[in-house]
């Protein structure tokens, strides 16, 4: 039975759900009652482990290999989710890459790769998911607090892509409002994931709370935005970074 807080009977697709924040979101959505499909690129074992965790919660899971730089793969992931579960209620767009480089030396190849995945890939994932979402559907993107606070050398391109996502969400929210679909963006600060492993300790002193986030903390906000009780919030970027962007 649907309530304000339950996700029982819902189906979610997490783009980039094999590890880190994406895997935590997939597990949390399953614990709250949703069946969950997830995409991965190069970590099939991690994706399989996440599916096992989903199924341990009593829900159905599905891992789909799909590169978010490939438009056809994004569409195929949505189609495979529909084929398996018959519907789509929640789309979490977590796929993204971090490639640091001074603006004077960053290569065109690195620039294009980040734009392809972090901007174009997010847009195409929203577009593909929205075509299948029903009334009251949810789209949640995972951005970064660098969209509002870029204070680290070498982060200019990454910050630019995350700022683009924050603006993109505003427009998508307006476009999809007539269908009752909400679109929101979470902007985590430093979070303990594979992507941040090399520099997380150096950043901790800059965080007012003096610690990095656990992916499960970000997943909790994903779950709330997925619920019926969050239905009046759309077009928002919610920064969750231990006070860094204050």
């Amino acid at each position: 039975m649907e309530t304000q807080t339950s996700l029982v009977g819902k189906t979610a697709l997490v783009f980039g759900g094999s590890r880190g924040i994406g895997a935590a979101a997939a597990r949390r959505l399953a614990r709250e009652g949703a069946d969950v499909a997830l995409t991965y690129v190069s970590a099939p074992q991690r994706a399989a482990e996440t599916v096992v965790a989903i199924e341990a919660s009593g829900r159905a899971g599905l891992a789909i290999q799909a590169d978010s730089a490939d438009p056809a793969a994004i569409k195929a992931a949505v189609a495979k989710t529909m084929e398996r579960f018959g519907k789509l209620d929640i789309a979490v767009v977590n796929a993204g890459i971090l490639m640091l480089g001074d603006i004077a030396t960053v290569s065109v190849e690195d620039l294009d790769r980040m734009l392809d995945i972090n901007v174009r890939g997010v847009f195409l994932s929203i577009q593909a998911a929205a075509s299948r979402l029903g009334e009251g559907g949810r789209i949640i993107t995972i951005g970064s607090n660098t969209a509002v606070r870029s204070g680290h050398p070498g982060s200019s391109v990454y910050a630019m892509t995350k700022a683009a996502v924050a603006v993109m969400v505003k427009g998508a929210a307006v476009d999809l409002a007539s269908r009752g679909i909400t679109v929101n963006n979470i902007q985590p600060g430093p979070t303990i994931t594979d992507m941040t492993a090399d520099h997380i300790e150096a950043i901790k002193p800059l965080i007012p709370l003096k610690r990095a986030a656990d992916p499960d903390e970000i997943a909790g906000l994903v779950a709330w935005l997925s619920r019926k009780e969050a239905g009046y919030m759309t077009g928002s970027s919610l920064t969750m970074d231990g006070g860094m962007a204050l």
Side-chain angles (χ1 to χ4, degrees), residues 43-111:
Q45 183 59 39
R46 298 285 291 274
E49 291 169 359
T50 303
V51 169
V52 168
I54 291 167
E55 293 174 344
S57 296
R59 309 314 308 169
L62 174 66
I64 304 165
Q65 187 170 23
D67 187 342
S68 287
D70 181 349
I74 291 171
K75 290 182 180 179
V78 174
K80 289 176 182 177
T81 301
M82 294 294 297
E83 181 181 348
R84 171 70 180 275
F85 298 111
K87 64 172 185 166
L88 180 62
D89 303 292
I90 302 158
V92 180
V93 187
N94 175 65
I97 58 171
L98 169 63
M99 303 174 75
L100 298 175
D102 185 274
I103 197 166
T105 59
V106 65
S107 69
V108 173
E109 291 77 15
D110 286 352
L111 172 65

Side-chain angles (χ1 to χ4, degrees), residues 75 122-132 139:
K75 290 182 180 179
V122 173
F123 178 88
L124 293 173
S125 296
I126 292 173
Q127 186 181 61
S131 70
R132 298 298 189 129
I139 297 174

Side-chain angles (χ1 to χ4, degrees), residues 26-225:
R27 294 191 301 266
R28 178 62 179 266
L29 293 171
R31 289 200 301 271
E32 300 211 4
D35 294 324
V36 184
L38 60 96
T39 71
Y40 69 95
V41 178
S42 58
Q45 183 59 39
R46 298 285 291 274
E49 291 169 359
T50 303
V51 169
V52 168
I54 291 167
E55 293 174 344
S57 296
R59 309 314 308 169
L62 174 66
I64 304 165
Q65 187 170 23
D67 187 342
S68 287
D70 181 349
I74 291 171
K75 290 182 180 179
V78 174
K80 289 176 182 177
T81 301
M82 294 294 297
E83 181 181 348
R84 171 70 180 275
F85 298 111
K87 64 172 185 166
L88 180 62
D89 303 292
I90 302 158
V92 180
V93 187
N94 175 65
I97 58 171
L98 169 63
M99 303 174 75
L100 298 175
D102 185 274
I103 197 166
T105 59
V106 65
S107 69
V108 173
E109 291 77 15
D110 286 352
L111 172 65
D112 286 346
R113 181 67 174 161
M114 277 194 281
L115 288 172
D116 282 350
I117 295 176
N118 294 6
V119 181
R120 189 182 71 162
V122 173
F123 178 88
L124 293 173
S125 296
I126 292 173
Q127 186 181 61
S131 70
R132 298 298 189 129
L133 286 169
E135 179 79 17
R138 301 283 188 265
I139 297 174
I140 302 154
T141 61
I142 306 298
S144 169
N145 73 332
T146 60
V148 292
R149 183 189 187 280
S150 180
H152 303 293
S155 66
S156 59
V157 175
Y158 180 73
M160 174 182 68
T161 65
K162 295 305 182 178
V165 170
V167 175
M168 187 191 310
V169 160
K170 292 179 182 293
V174 173
D175 287 346
L176 297 173
S178 64
R179 294 170 53 195
I181 296 170
T182 66
V183 189
N184 290 290
N185 178 42
I186 299 174
Q187 299 183 150
T191 304
I192 302 169
T193 66
D194 293 348
M195 190 166 69
T196 63
D198 292 339
H199 58 271
I200 196 76
E201 291 301 322
I203 297 174
K204 282 182 181 179
L206 304 176
I207 306 169
L209 287 181
K210 302 303 179 186
R211 69 174 180 87
D214 186 285
D216 287 335
E217 293 178 293
I218 312 303
L221 185 50
V222 171
W224 182 77
L225 288 170

